[in-house]
Amino acid sequence: MSTPTLSRRTLLAGAASLPLVTILRRPANAAEFEYKLATGQDPTHPVNLRAQEALNRIREASGGRLDIKLFPANQLGSDTDLLSQVRNGSVEFFNLSTSILATFIPAASLPNTGFAFKDYDAVWAAMDGGLGNYIREQIAKTPIQTVSKAWDNGFRHITSSTREIRTPEDLKGFKIRVPPAPMLTSLFKALEAGAAPLNFNELYSALQTKIFEGQENPLAITATTRLYEVQKSCSLTGHVWDGYWILGNKRAFQRLPEDLRALVTRELDRSADDQRADIVRLSASLRQELTAKGITFIEVNRDPFRDALGRTTFYKDWRAKFGDAAWGHLEAVSGKLA
């Protein structure tokens, strides 16, 4: 995740190598295009670290023509607010989880289907293949579009401040916060949990005041937003894989010359690959760090959870909503679900 530290001499040498005509013609703050990229993640999250690297490369490679400023941690509004802003163009780019994008584009939640992917090989086969292409096409029918390959939010796990979740029966009546995402709400309601949606920027206080007993998120989110301070255990359910799409307002993106559009996609794709690797490494190291912070980790057998879900109408209901063609893209990788 770290980048090489540049010495003062290296920096000065780099500055000296800039053509004088470039410095004279284009002052540092005179970009031809000044855009914003908003995210909901903490500044220390790999999404923001790698996105900032991409934005730096874009600014440098474009000779300062395109300057995209990063606004992390919901500085410009909640996730649902920002989705409206990127749709109307007041924010040009926005990094949003697939689960929340589904409130606007239902097909975005296809990869969030409960217990669909057993590992990352299955995830990337789907997201870099037919399933990802299908979702991109659905997004492109709206005022927004994807501008890079999918990024990784990780497999989601359940944390709790009260009971330890070891079996599907432990979820019955468990007050759990879910994102404003229909797929996740229906998954936990099918398993008879007391699931309710809440925007992420309100989650910490809701756990602190015991409005909710627990929540579910990838380990990187649990760690970078200090949710371990208000939770006691983490059950490694891996019940859903969640990703991120970097979305662009279609008019704003098309306003860029073709060479700058290609540059944006190339550099964001490069950072997506780096960020995917970060999350895999983090998931291993964060388990140790969170244990040191007082979190008890619980290994669970995922099969009883998937079996319990299969005995409900969950898979059949979602297949009916998505349609057979969309569901076929999912089952091409996940195997038979419904």
Side-chain angles (χ1 to χ4, degrees), residues 131-203:
L131 182 65
N133 291 336
Y134 175 83
I135 295 168
R136 286 173 181 274
E137 291 168 3
Q138 306 313 304
I139 296 171
K141 294 176 181 177
T142 76
I144 59 179
Q145 66 180 91
T146 60
V147 294
S148 79
K149 62 173 66 173
W151 294 43
D152 190 14
N153 192 4
F155 283 91
R156 303 177 78 93
H157 306 293
I158 299 168
T159 68
S160 171
S161 63
T162 55
R163 71 184 86 170
E164 294 183 346
I165 306 300
R166 297 178 180 275
T167 68
E169 290 71 31
D170 295 328
L171 283 172
K172 291 182 179 178
F174 180 65
K175 292 188 294 183
I176 184 169
R177 173 268 178 184
V178 292
M183 175 70 77
L184 283 160
T185 302
S186 73
L187 188 159
F188 282 100
K189 286 190 172 178
L191 295 174
E192 299 182 50
L198 185 74
N199 269 322
F200 187 80
N201 54 341
E202 302 173 58
L203 174 57

Side-chain angles (χ1 to χ4, degrees), residues 1 7 127 166 230 235 240 248 300 320:
M1 188 187 303
S7 67
M127 297 307 291
R166 297 178 180 275
V230 288
S235 301
V240 157
V300 301

Side-chain angles (χ1 to χ4, degrees), residues 61-285:
S62 69
R65 291 166 62 205
L66 175 56
D67 186 12
I68 305 173
K69 292 284 196 300
L70 181 65
F71 293 87
N74 292 117
Q75 288 178 16
L76 302 182
S78 71
D79 283 348
T80 46
D81 292 335
L82 284 165
L83 181 54
S84 296
Q85 291 181 56
V86 79
R87 286 166 63 186
N88 67 32
S90 55
V91 167
E92 290 83 10
F93 299 110
F94 175 37
N95 176 70
L96 185 63
S97 71
T98 55
S99 55
I100 297 179
L101 179 58
T103 60
F104 176 48
I105 301 163
S109 66
L110 269 163
N112 306 137
T113 302
F115 301 97
F117 301 128
K118 63 179 181 178
D119 54 31
Y120 273 117
D121 286 345
V123 166
W124 301 129
M127 297 307 291
D128 293 338
L131 182 65
N133 291 336
Y134 175 83
I135 295 168
R136 286 173 181 274
E137 291 168 3
Q138 306 313 304
I139 296 171
K141 294 176 181 177
T142 76
I144 59 179
Q145 66 180 91
T146 60
V147 294
S148 79
K149 62 173 66 173
W151 294 43
D152 190 14
N153 192 4
F155 283 91
R156 303 177 78 93
H157 306 293
I158 299 168
T159 68
S160 171
S161 63
T162 55
R163 71 184 86 170
E164 294 183 346
I165 306 300
R166 297 178 180 275
T167 68
E169 290 71 31
D170 295 328
L171 283 172
K172 291 182 179 178
F174 180 65
K175 292 188 294 183
I176 184 169
R177 173 268 178 184
V178 292
M183 175 70 77
L184 283 160
T185 302
S186 73
L187 188 159
F188 282 100
K189 286 190 172 178
L191 295 174
E192 299 182 50
L198 185 74
N199 269 322
F200 187 80
N201 54 341
E202 302 173 58
L203 174 57
Y204 187 98
S205 61
L207 292 170
Q208 191 174 38
T209 56
K210 299 295 192 291
I211 293 172
F212 291 103
E213 296 174 83
Q215 60 90 47
E216 49 77 59
N217 259 304
L219 296 185
I221 296 290
T222 300
T224 58
T225 53
R226 306 175 74 90
L227 296 182
Y228 54 81
E229 295 175 345
V230 288
Q231 298 284 271
K232 293 178 181 176
S233 66
C234 178
S235 301
L236 296 170
T237 50
H239 50 277
V240 157
W241 174 81
D242 199 9
Y244 295 115
W245 289 112
I246 295 189
L247 306 167
N249 175 272
K250 201 177 285 182
R251 289 192 308 273
F253 192 60
Q254 294 303 320
R255 199 179 303 133
L256 297 175
E258 186 177 350
D259 64 319
L260 292 185
R261 294 199 301 270
L263 175 63
V264 167
T265 295
R266 185 186 77 217
E267 295 306 333
L268 288 175
D269 277 354
R270 176 179 163 188
S271 278
D273 288 335
D274 291 339
Q275 188 265 350
R276 290 178 181 185
D278 290 340
I279 295 294
V280 172
R281 286 192 297 269
L282 262 182
S283 294
S285 64

Side-chain angles (χ1 to χ4, degrees), residues 3-16:
T3 52
T5 302
L6 295 176
S7 67
R8 183 171 180 271
R9 180 179 299 172
T10 305
L11 287 169
L12 290 173

